[in-house]
Amino acid sequence: MAAVYSDGPLGVFALSGAHASLVWYNTPNDVKRLLALDDDAFSRALHDQFPSCLGKIDAILERGFFPLRRQHAHRYVDDGVALVGDAAHMIHPLAGQGVNIGFLDAAALSACLLDAQDHSDFYSMAWLARYEKERRHPNLLMMQSMDFFYRAFSNRVLPIKLLRNIGLGVAGRLPFAKEHVMRLAMGIEGRLPELSRRVG
């Protein structure tokens, strides 16, 4: 079989014990080829692509795939309804930000409901609109940022690769810039819901 090269980032998400979830971004055609492999051939393909520091993969418990798409609800709220997390937005999983912004959504909605708890119309648009106003713009900004990074890092056009590498080199020499980006990625920088700041 011809080699299957990743067409995007690789992800490793630790689970309990010695288990992990491996995420392999690829083209639709290569995904079909990978899914058609038996476990031994698929394991060899994983070892070829993922860093050797992960060690030997002893067993593959399950395989699955889903198409990547970006979606964003036009509205987060209506009377008696509030969309949170993946129900409100689907983001490119490049840096695992989907769960982070979902937690921030939950914190912002909880704060709105706590403020409205003494009112019989706590579930009305009058109260829920504040949640949407607080979260929709930051979520859109994060979605656009992840799209930008994905397109920058997956692009094979030489001038763009050179600009990307120069930018990374400059950023690596500016500790304050690197720290700021890391804090944004961890969800502990910028305009945060009050409840999330208390937890952090």
Side-chain angles (χ1 to χ4, degrees), residues 61-112:
L61 303 181
E62 192 175 350
R63 290 185 240 176
F65 77 99
F66 59 91
L68 298 179
R69 58 173 62 96
R70 177 180 135 181
Q71 292 182 321
H72 198 197
H74 293 295
R75 294 170 57 196
Y76 283 15
V77 298
D78 205 337
D79 280 327
V81 177
L83 302 180
V84 177
D86 288 348
H89 40 72
M90 291 176 63
I91 184 172
H92 193 289
L94 176 65
Q97 289 305 305
V99 68
N100 288 347
I101 62 177
F103 287 150
L104 294 175
D105 288 352
L109 179 59
S110 297
C112 289

Side-chain angles (χ1 to χ4, degrees), residues 2-186:
V4 178
Y5 296 102
S6 177
D7 198 46
L10 301 168
V12 181
F13 300 92
L15 302 174
S16 60
H19 297 84
S21 175
L22 304 182
V23 180
W24 187 350
Y25 303 88
N26 225 312
T27 63
N29 286 338
D30 278 338
V31 168
K32 289 178 184 176
R33 292 168 61 194
L34 287 165
L35 290 173
L37 299 176
D38 61 32
D39 281 353
D40 287 340
F42 186 69
S43 181
R44 287 195 296 273
L46 289 176
H47 281 101
D48 287 344
Q49 288 295 305
F50 281 80
S52 58
C53 61
L54 294 179
K56 183 177 181 298
I57 298 170
D58 294 320
I60 299 167
L61 303 181
E62 192 175 350
R63 290 185 240 176
F65 77 99
F66 59 91
L68 298 179
R69 58 173 62 96
R70 177 180 135 181
Q71 292 182 321
H72 198 197
H74 293 295
R75 294 170 57 196
Y76 283 15
V77 298
D78 205 337
D79 280 327
V81 177
L83 302 180
V84 177
D86 288 348
H89 40 72
M90 291 176 63
I91 184 172
H92 193 289
L94 176 65
Q97 289 305 305
V99 68
N100 288 347
I101 62 177
F103 287 150
L104 294 175
D105 288 352
L109 179 59
S110 297
C112 289
L113 294 175
L114 285 171
D115 287 345
Q117 64 184 328
D118 295 330
H119 299 264
S120 60
D121 65 340
F122 67 90
Y123 52 82
S124 70
M125 281 286 289
W127 291 103
L128 296 178
R130 193 185 88 188
Y131 155 66
E132 177 174 316
K133 183 178 180 182
E134 184 173 344
R135 291 302 306 151
R136 197 170 194 285
H137 179 71
N139 288 343
L140 180 60
L141 183 60
M142 180 62 78
M143 294 170 76
Q144 291 172 335
S145 299
M146 290 302 102
D147 279 357
F148 169 78
F149 281 116
Y150 170 72
R151 294 179 193 287
F153 281 91
S154 62
N155 200 302
R156 296 189 174 99
V157 177
L158 185 59
I160 294 177
K161 287 175 68 175
L162 289 173
L163 284 172
R164 179 188 70 206
N165 293 340
I166 291 170
L168 286 173
V170 171
R173 290 177 175 81
L174 300 172
F176 64 89
K178 185 160 50 174
E179 182 181 348
H180 179 66
V181 170
M182 289 177 63
R183 289 177 63 84
L184 280 172
M186 289 187 290

